[in-house]
Amino acid sequence: DVKVTQSSRYLVKRTGEKVFLECVQDMDHENMFWYRQDPGLGLRLIYFSYDVKMKEKGDIPEGYSVSREKKERFSLILESASTNQTSMYLCASSLDVGAGGAHNEQFFGPGTRLTVL
Amino acid sequence: AQKVTQAQTEISVVEKEDVTLDCVYETRDTTYYLFWYKQPPSGELVFLIRRNSFDEQNEISGRYSWNFQKSTSSFNFTITASQVVDSAVYFCALSEAWSNDYKLSFGAGTTVTVRA
């Protein structure tokens, strides 16, 4: 079974703090993703990475950065947390594009519910 | 513009009723992939199905079935004889092949509550 783990289920931080959210997958997947989930908006992509040290902006990258130093680990960084970053953060991973260019399913971690006070 | 629309925000049914979740998508690509995910109260999204744009066959997996219609850009999901364990948020998602960046565009989700 694919396992995607996230460092914390719940996190409470103060405005202006630097926040690190860690994600680790154990299935040697090339692609990794960070989403935030908000009521009525579904999941929105923040950043993704298709290889070590590679990163691409998603739909809402402002206020976030990422790091991928090892294939299995993808970190999301909030340089200076703000209250509008209170959300559920979900990490996912997937195999690279398969035969015929098939986009493979993403496997998700349990999520980190971040509250910024 | 929203690429995936799930018009139903919440659906509540009594156990053993059937429930159909609507999903309408928008893309200019001829090659694309559609997905359904389930998010139970535990929070972890669980993959249910992937369908590519060239395969319009409907699919059945146990009590779950999916109806893909390119003519109406819809990929609807039906749970037959619902059970309490089906209570979850269900997301429809689209991946467009032209972008080649493996991104998933999610709908807003439909919360299904099955009452005993």
Side-chain angles (χ1 to χ4, degrees):
Chain A
D1 274 355
V2 176
K3 276 293 182 190
V4 180
T5 57
Q6 295 183 228
S7 49
S8 306
R9 289 301 303 268
Y10 300 93
L11 209 52
V12 179
K13 295 292 182 180
R14 297 214 173 270
T15 302
E17 280 193 74
K18 190 168 186 175
V19 181
F20 292 87
L21 302 183
E22 305 285 344
C23 175
V24 177
Q25 51 93 4
D26 67 358
M27 286 302 291
D28 205 34
H29 283 174
E30 291 83 6
N31 307 320
M32 296 188 75
F33 308 82
W34 274 107
Y35 296 89
R36 63 176 284 175
Q37 181 181 1
D38 301 288
L41 297 177
L43 278 72
R44 292 179 292 165
L45 182 64
I46 304 171
Y47 268 97
F48 65 100
S49 168
Y50 50 85
D51 202 351
V52 176
K53 296 194 185 294
M54 305 298 285
K55 60 185 180 183
E56 295 285 342
K57 291 180 180 179
D59 299 318
I60 51 165
E62 296 79 18
Y64 304 94
S65 61
V66 290
S67 171
R68 192 164 181 203
E69 296 296 319
K70 293 185 178 181
K71 190 175 186 179
E72 68 270 19
R73 186 180 298 269
F74 191 36
S75 302
L76 179 70
I77 303 154
L78 287 65
E79 295 289 342
S80 177
S82 63
T83 54
N84 62 14
Q85 292 179 309
T86 291
S87 186
M88 169 73 91
Y89 290 88
L90 293 163
C91 175
S93 70
S94 71
L95 280 171
D96 205 353
V97 174
H103 288 201
N104 294 307
E105 63 268 30
Q106 294 180 16
F107 294 85
F108 284 81
T112 295
R113 186 166 293 284
L114 172 67
T115 302
V116 182
L117 302 176
Chain B
Q2 186 82 347
K3 291 186 178 181
V4 178
T5 302
Q6 295 179 255
Q8 304 146 306
T9 305
E10 295 183 26
I11 300 175
S12 181
V13 297
V14 177
E15 222 173 5
K16 297 183 182 168
E17 285 185 4
D18 297 348
V19 56
T20 295
L21 310 181
D22 297 332
C23 173
V24 174
Y25 61 92
E26 182 183 325
T27 180
R28 290 178 291 179
D29 206 350
T30 55
T31 302
Y32 51 90
Y33 301 85
L34 294 162
F35 299 79
W36 274 96
Y37 283 86
K38 173 183 179 180
Q39 186 179 38
S42 61
E44 191 168 326
L45 270 79
V46 176
F47 166 77
L48 296 178
I49 190 172
R50 179 188 67 196
R51 173 66 82 219
N52 75 55
S53 53
F54 299 108
D55 182 2
E56 286 193 74
Q57 275 195 331
N58 291 329
E59 179 152 341
I60 298 175
S61 176
R63 295 184 297 104
Y64 294 171
S65 61
W66 290 270
N67 182 356
F68 177 29
Q69 293 198 346
K70 285 178 77 169
S71 60
T72 55
S73 297
S74 65
F75 187 43
N76 297 339
F77 171 35
T78 297
I79 303 171
T80 302
S82 60
Q83 300 175 2
V84 171
V85 293
D86 296 325
S87 296
V89 183
Y90 292 85
F91 291 97
C92 180
L94 166 72
S95 180
E96 295 167 293
W98 72 268
S99 64
N100 204 31
D101 60 8
Y102 329 119
K103 287 168 56 175
L104 282 177
S105 297
F106 282 85
T110 299
T111 300
V112 173
T113 303
V114 181
R115 308 185 309 276

